[in-house]
């Protein structure tokens, strides 16, 4: 079950929105592969776009590649690393000159 983290909840919710007519009420787990859930590559792209809109993050603009993401847990990890990386960045300071 992914609902133990905010990122997991967002990703599970967006997957359920995409697969509303085909996904039953079973929990989505981190080891679930996208194809097993019914997500094809186009739907995965739509999921990433929806998640970027929802989170403001693009986890695939750095070291992580979308081809390295095979399971829901991989996707959660990519977003959590991007979130941690963003949170570690210093706030830009305004130059008062």
């Amino acid at each position: 079950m992914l609902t133990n983290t905010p990122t997991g909840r967002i990703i599970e919710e967006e997957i359920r929105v995409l697969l509303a007519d085909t996904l039953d009420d079973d929990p989505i787990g981190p080891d679930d592969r996208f194809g097993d859930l019914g997500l094809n590559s186009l739907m995965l792209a739509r999921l990433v776009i929806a998640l970027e809109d929802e989170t403001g993050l693009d986890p695939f603009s750095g070291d992580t590649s979308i081809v390295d993401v095979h399971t829901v847990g991989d996707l959660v990890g990519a977003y959590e690393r991007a979130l941690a990386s963003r949170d570690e960045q210093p706030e830009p300071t305004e130059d008062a000159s």
Side-chain angles (χ1 to χ4, degrees):
M1 199 166 184
L2 297 175
T3 57
N4 58 348
T5 68
T7 306
R9 282 191 293 274
I10 291 168
I11 290 173
E12 182 171 357
E13 181 179 310
E14 292 298 333
I15 289 172
R16 290 190 181 282
V17 167
L18 276 174
L19 298 174
D21 295 335
T22 61
L23 194 63
D24 54 24
D25 289 335
D26 290 338
I28 296 173
D31 295 328
D32 288 334
R33 298 181 72 77
F34 298 115
D36 295 341
L37 292 172
L39 284 168
N40 59 35
S41 58
L42 179 58
M43 294 172 99
L44 181 58
R46 289 177 53 199
L47 174 62
V48 169
I49 290 167
L51 290 170
E52 187 172 349
D53 287 345
E54 182 73 25
T55 65
L57 296 171
D58 178 6
F60 307 112
S61 63
D63 294 339
T64 303
S65 173
I66 188 72
V67 298
D68 298 326
V69 175
H70 304 284
T71 66
V72 176
D74 293 341
L75 187 62
V76 171
Y79 275 90
E80 288 180 345
R81 285 188 300 279
L83 180 61
S85 177
R86 180 184 72 184
D87 290 346
E88 292 172 359
Q89 298 295 319
E91 296 271 334
T93 57
E94 202 171 296
D95 188 9
S97 347

